[in-house]
């Protein structure tokens, strides 16, 4: 049963299993990642849970090592496997070369793992896209994205999951030097991006700041109109 | 030969190890650190077969860190000691056993300070004070005589100094310096290296 490949090419050059996996990702709750000057921000859409379910057990942002984190969109169960492999690799790397992983290295490791599952007998691809953030030894902030096909790219800001397109468009418009000038600003940008798609929940002080800014903008516009 | 010692107080554990790395009759290194930080509040002191010591200690160290990453919290000192012992025991009846003697010292939020003695046959014992090496034969009796469970930090250091002076006096091998560390609720603290009188 395990000697036949599941992911095979279609006549017009598509890997349908990979594309179906990408569809599964599109069904997952949104995650956004932003690279600032001295900060990297990960935000995730908090899915509303069933009444009797314990809310706090749904963890979508996970630490891979002391200096690297990731968020994912897609099949939570698949994510668990990938995250576990990444965590082991982080420690294994430290053991063999006495240095923590660079963000690019661990991203490449995860991506290679994902690709392997698109070309193995009896296996299906992982149904997750991941946003991997962290700082390298030299203090440079990094943000990478991987997808079920096993490709990875570095980004200044990106989103994955359900409303990825909307959030990415918002980021393309609003990611400027000013908007990431300070750590707080970068965090606000991430929250604003997520607010684009859902009614705000419990993000307290920063939300009030954002509302104040909106009022100030509205005031300015009114003044402009009256002059 | 190498020497390790640990003394548990009311709310701290004091540990020390000699600094010599020797190959046969030559001192290769005089500032070797034989303590491995397993976590913020756990130290593993490791002596024995050259190579085995570092290999085993680093392997345990990285596994403890992996546990932290996977579960979001660190292993307690008791759990870490038992994990270490299990690993040692598993390898003991394999083709490649690790020939190492260990002291594991840690501080737990709920249980307080703890000192664990482990040897190359995978014995594990929680003890108020312990030592490894030939030096242990000379110093355990001193600890028997002067140890009290309610030692203050300074008294414990004085007791440690007594032990090291005895080694300087009666032990045939010269151990010129000792690294000293203390673990309490605030984490691991480096204390001043102990240099017995007469050593450079």
């Amino acid at each position: 049963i395990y000697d036949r490949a599941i992911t095979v090419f279609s006549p017009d050059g598509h890997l349908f299993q990979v594309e179906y996996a990408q569809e599964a990702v599109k069904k997952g709750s949104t995650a956004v990642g932003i690279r600032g000057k001295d900060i990297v921000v990960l935000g995730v859409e908090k899915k509303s849970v069933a009444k009797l379910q314990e809310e706090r057990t749904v963890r979508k942002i996970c630490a891979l090592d002391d200096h690297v984190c990731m968020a994912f969109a897609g099949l939570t169960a698949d994510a668990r496997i990938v995250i576990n492999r990444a965590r082991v690799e982080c420690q294994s790397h430290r053991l063999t070369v006495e240095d923590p992983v660079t963000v690019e290295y661990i991203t490449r490791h995860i991506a290679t793992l994902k690709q392997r599952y698109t070309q193995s007998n009896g296996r299906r691809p992982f149904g997750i896209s991941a946003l991997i953030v962290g700082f390298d030894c030299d203090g440079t902030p990094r943000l990478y994205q991987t997808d079920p096909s096993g490709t990875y790219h570095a980004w200044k800001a990106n989103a994955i999951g359900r409303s990825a397109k909307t959030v990415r468009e918002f980021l393309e418009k609003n990611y400027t030097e000013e908007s990431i000038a300070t750590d707080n600003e970068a965090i606000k940008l991430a929250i604003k991006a997520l607010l684009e798609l859902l009614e705000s929940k419990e993000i307290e002080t920063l939300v009030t700041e954002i509302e104040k800014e909106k009022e100030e903008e509205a005031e300015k516009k009114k003044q402009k109109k009256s002059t | 030969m190498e020497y390790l010692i640990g003394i548990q107080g009311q709310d701290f554990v004091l540990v020390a190890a000699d600094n010599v790395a020797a190959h046969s009759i030559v001192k290769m290194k005089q500032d070797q650190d034989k303590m491995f930080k397993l976590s913020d509040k756990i130290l593993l002191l490791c002596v024995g077969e050259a190579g085995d010591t570092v290999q085993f200690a680093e392997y345990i160290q990285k596994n403890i860190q992996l546990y932290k990453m996977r579960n979001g919290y660190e292993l307690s000192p008791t759990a870490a000691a038992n994990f270490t012992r299990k690993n040692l025991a598993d390898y003991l009846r394999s083709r490649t056993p690790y020939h190492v003697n260990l002291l594991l010292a840690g501080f737990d939020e709920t249980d307080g300070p703890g000192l664990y003695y482990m040897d190359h046959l995978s014995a594990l014992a929680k003890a108020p004070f312990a030592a490894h090496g030939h030096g242990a034969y000379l110093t355990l009796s001193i600890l028997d005589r002067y140890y009290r469970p309610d030692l203050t930090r300074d008294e414990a250091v004085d007791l440690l100094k007594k032990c090291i002076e005895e080694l300087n006096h009666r032990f045939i091998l010269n151990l010129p310096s000792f690294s000293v560390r203390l673990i309490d609720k605030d984490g691991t603290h480096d204390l001043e290296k102990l240099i017995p009188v007469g050593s450079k």
Side-chain angles (χ1 to χ4, degrees), chain B residues 68-134:
Chain B
K68 185 178 95 179
M69 288 302 144
R70 277 185 170 143
N71 300 288
Y73 59 87
E74 293 182 333
L75 269 173
S76 69
T78 319
N82 279 285
F83 170 75
T84 308
R85 189 214 69 84
K86 181 75 167 63
N87 259 286
L88 209 49
D90 287 341
Y91 276 101
L92 187 59
R93 284 189 166 82
S94 74
R95 288 184 311 106
T96 57
Y98 285 101
H99 198 284
V100 291
N101 291 313
L102 313 163
L103 285 181
L104 191 142
F107 190 94
D108 191 26
E109 294 282 307
T110 33
D111 300 329
L115 177 65
Y116 294 87
Y117 172 100
M118 241 176 294
D119 74 1
H120 66 278
L121 295 176
S122 200
L124 171 67
K126 187 174 191 302
F129 56 87
H132 273 298
H134 287 112

Side-chain angles (χ1 to χ4, degrees), chain B residues 145-162:
Chain B
R145 169 71 178 84
Y146 292 108
Y147 175 82
R148 285 182 348 262
D150 60 350
L151 286 170
T152 66
R153 282 163 173 71
D154 288 329
E155 287 171 340
V157 174
D158 284 335
L159 182 49
L160 179 62
K161 281 183 180 161
K162 265 204 178 71

Side-chain angles (χ1 to χ4, degrees), chain A residues 66 84 87-88 91 98, chain B residues 58 65-66 68-70:
Chain A
D66 294 324
N84 194 42
R87 283 175 172 159
V88 174
Q91 295 307 313
E98 283 218 5
Chain B
E58 283 189 351
Q65 289 303 305
L66 183 60
K68 185 178 95 179
M69 288 302 144
R70 277 185 170 143

Side-chain angles (χ1 to χ4, degrees), chain B:
Chain B
M1 238 233 78
E2 304 176 290
Y3 180 71
L4 299 178
I5 181 174
I7 302 173
Q8 181 190 321
Q10 284 261 279
D11 57 350
F12 67 92
V13 190
L14 181 69
V15 289
D18 77 287
N19 291 326
V20 173
H23 273 69
S24 156
I25 58 169
V26 179
K27 279 188 210 163
M28 295 299 250
K29 203 168 146 68
Q30 309 225 29
D31 56 356
Q32 176 84 315
D33 189 2
K34 303 181 187 183
M35 304 197 201
F36 294 85
K37 206 170 166 201
L38 296 190
S39 78
D40 287 329
K41 294 184 187 163
I42 308 180
L43 278 176
L44 182 68
L45 283 70
C46 188
V47 292
E49 185 85 49
D52 282 2
T53 47
V54 178
Q55 283 289 92
F56 184 74
E58 283 189 351
Y59 175 73
I60 299 295
Q61 196 182 45
K62 300 305 181 255
N63 271 108
I64 304 282
Q65 289 303 305
L66 183 60
Y67 184 96
K68 185 178 95 179
M69 288 302 144
R70 277 185 170 143
N71 300 288
Y73 59 87
E74 293 182 333
L75 269 173
S76 69
T78 319
N82 279 285
F83 170 75
T84 308
R85 189 214 69 84
K86 181 75 167 63
N87 259 286
L88 209 49
D90 287 341
Y91 276 101
L92 187 59
R93 284 189 166 82
S94 74
R95 288 184 311 106
T96 57
Y98 285 101
H99 198 284
V100 291
N101 291 313
L102 313 163
L103 285 181
L104 191 142
F107 190 94
D108 191 26
E109 294 282 307
T110 33
D111 300 329
L115 177 65
Y116 294 87
Y117 172 100
M118 241 176 294
D119 74 1
H120 66 278
L121 295 176
S122 200
L124 171 67
K126 187 174 191 302
F129 56 87
H132 273 298
H134 287 112
Y137 293 115
L138 299 168
T139 52
L140 277 172
S141 45
I142 296 179
L143 291 164
D144 278 328
R145 169 71 178 84
Y146 292 108
Y147 175 82
R148 285 182 348 262
D150 60 350
L151 286 170
T152 66
R153 282 163 173 71
D154 288 329
E155 287 171 340
V157 174
D158 284 335
L159 182 49
L160 179 62
K161 281 183 180 161
K162 265 204 178 71
C163 292
I164 290 180
E165 272 161 33
E166 186 60 22
L167 290 181
N168 201 31
H169 182 52
R170 281 289 188 185
F171 191 39
I172 193 176
L173 297 184
N174 180 223
L175 297 172
S177 76
F178 297 79
S179 297
V180 186
R181 289 202 168 94
L182 185 132
I183 311 181
D184 62 12
K185 64 169 171 48
D186 301 319
T188 316
H189 311 280
D190 290 357
L191 299 183
E192 246 183 52
K193 264 196 187 171
L194 280 179
I195 297 167
V197 183
S199 326
K200 276 187 201 158

Side-chain angles (χ1 to χ4, degrees), chain A residues 215-225:
Chain A
E215 283 178 46
E216 286 162 12
E217 276 189 54
E219 278 297 307
K220 278 194 198 159
K221 282 191 183 161
K222 272 191 199 163
Q223 287 177 5
K224 272 195 182 166
K225 275 189 181 169

